[in-house]
Amino acid sequence: MTTTVPTAGPTPTPAPTPAPGSGAGPAPAPAPVSGAGSTTVTAGPVAAVVPGGGPGGFDRLLEAVVGERAAAVRNVPATLTCFTDHFPRHPVLPGVLLLESMAALARTAAGPGTWRLAAVRGVRFKHFVGPGDQVHLTVEVTAHGPHRTECRATARAGGRVVATARVLALVSDETTREGTA
């Protein structure tokens, strides 16, 4: 059974146009794809669909099939305060912010509930992401259960892979933490 989750809230606004010369074009609108027993979410405003979207997450959700995959876009504005110190003559988006975007998308792919990042393995940063870039994030769920989900993530900007994470392990907040009763 496939359920489409309607987007609520304000009408989505078009994504900002990437800076000239950044090599990033507008994101194509994906066709909704779903599998048996999954929930499909298609393009809509992040605030209406994904809690915590925005600065630490991503700007626009393109697709989310709970328990299978998700895709989103993160725009990198030149006005981010991190660019003043990281690095003044050659501004670069800190890798931890790109990793947080991947984790936010993984939480969306994991489905309803409160998920927290428990482990990250095999992270590779291959190219710099700078002001004006548009990053396309994809997450594929490799293992999914009621209390633990593992995902593989890829970030692309300007037509090339800029970062990958072999494993993003999420655990449900209902899971007892190690060392607690």
Side-chain angles (χ1 to χ4, degrees):
M1 175 178 157
T2 302
T3 306
T4 301
V5 178
T7 58
T11 305
T13 56
T17 306
S22 70
V33 180
S34 59
S38 64
T39 301
T40 302
V41 178
T42 54
V46 174
V49 180
V50 181
F58 47 88
D59 296 308
R60 186 169 35 126
L61 182 64
L62 300 176
E63 174 189 41
V65 179
V66 172
E68 290 184 27
R69 67 184 167 277
V73 172
R74 177 185 181 148
N75 296 307
V76 183
T79 57
L80 287 176
T81 57
C82 63
F83 288 139
T84 58
D85 298 329
H86 197 268
F87 297 98
R89 292 190 184 142
H90 181 69
V92 175
L93 182 71
V96 70
L97 294 181
L98 195 54
L99 186 60
E100 175 56 33
S101 295
M102 291 178 183
L105 188 58
R107 284 190 290 272
T108 301
T114 305
W115 296 91
R116 62 183 167 81
L117 190 61
V120 177
R121 291 190 293 276
V123 177
R124 304 285 186 258
F125 297 103
K126 299 177 179 210
H127 296 283
F128 293 118
V129 175
D133 284 346
Q134 186 176 59
V135 182
H136 294 267
L137 304 160
T138 56
V139 167
E140 176 187 335
V141 176
T142 56
H144 184 60
H147 300 292
R148 184 175 176 89
T149 297
E150 291 187 3
C151 302
R152 178 179 316 140
T154 303
R156 289 181 174 80
R160 63 185 179 179
V161 174
V162 295
T164 60
R166 187 172 32 92
V167 176
L168 295 173
L170 304 169
V171 292
S172 170
D173 254 358
E174 299 165 4
T175 306
T176 303
R177 295 182 185 173
E178 196 172 310
T180 62

